[in-house]
Amino acid sequence: VEFDEFDGGDGQMGVAGDGNKGLEKIGSDVTPSLAKSKMMSAKNAWGTSTGYADKLMAENPNMDVARAQQLENWHNQQEVRNSAKQMKEMTETFDEVNYQEEENWRTLAKFGVERNQDFDMDEAFGAVEVGDDIEGVIEISSRVNQISAHEFQLKNEYMGFADFRASFTPDTPAEWTVEPTEGSLTSREATNFILKFRPSNPGTSEGYLVVETEDFKKTWKLIGSTG
């Protein structure tokens, strides 16, 4: 490079220049540009700016840029934390209301199937035996130690109320349960039964569910599997 072509270092890539191109001039306006550059670096290092850091620096010009961004990040974290806290409180309140509604429903459902008479059903109905007619076959599949359920409804076939017993034949495995086990059937509104199957071992489980009153008996064949 000839000395008369050297531009004093303001050219780009060491080529000749006219002294006005290439590097920016250093003058009185360098401070705002430098501060802006530092702020961008701070934002990249500490997080995304929401304008809170700019507000802090405007109120306190002597505050360090990185410190302002740290305070902004902390402020944002508090906002997120408070929002999460409010959401948690709303969820807990919602769950509590749902629990209360479920308990009210259970109480109402229990009231709907309360027995009308107090007598020994086992003595009145005798041992649980399969009826003459099979209403149908209920098949339930579930994984080992997990519960699967089947719901069905039943009305009293005659006028008024009739106390009932819902039970299983003695040879039915204990993997089967039903709710409710006793109560009162009406001719107007159906009573909801929930049959549950929880297998303890792989394979097939069979049995019979019998719902009976003094006037009728209904039997369902049960087949449970872990397939």
Side-chain angles (χ1 to χ4, degrees), residues 114-211:
E114 287 288 346
R115 291 176 54 180
N116 293 313
Q117 299 178 348
D118 185 13
F119 63 92
D120 189 337
M121 289 189 173
D122 293 334
E123 181 178 345
F125 299 152
V128 181
E129 297 179 350
V130 176
D132 297 333
D133 299 321
I134 303 297
E135 296 293 321
V137 179
I138 300 177
E139 298 185 15
I140 301 179
S141 178
S142 182
R143 296 182 179 180
V144 175
N145 293 326
Q146 291 189 4
I147 297 176
S148 292
H150 172 80
E151 296 187 18
F152 65 94
Q153 295 182 330
L154 190 61
K155 289 184 179 181
N156 181 20
E157 295 182 346
Y158 304 93
M159 294 293 294
F161 298 85
D163 290 341
F164 71 86
R165 177 184 69 180
S167 190
F168 302 94
T169 55
D171 59 341
T172 302
E175 299 168 329
W176 296 89
T177 58
V178 65
E179 295 178 357
T181 57
E182 62 178 34
S184 179
L185 296 176
T186 71
S187 57
R188 293 185 177 181
E189 296 183 4
T191 298
N192 191 56
F193 290 86
I194 302 177
L195 178 66
K196 297 180 181 179
F197 173 59
R198 182 181 181 181
S200 56
N201 296 293
T204 302
S205 176
E206 297 186 5
Y208 291 91
L209 170 64
V210 180
V211 180

Side-chain angles (χ1 to χ4, degrees), residues 20 41 73 153 163 178 226:
N20 294 321
S41 298
N73 292 338
Q153 295 182 330
D163 290 341
V178 65
T226 56

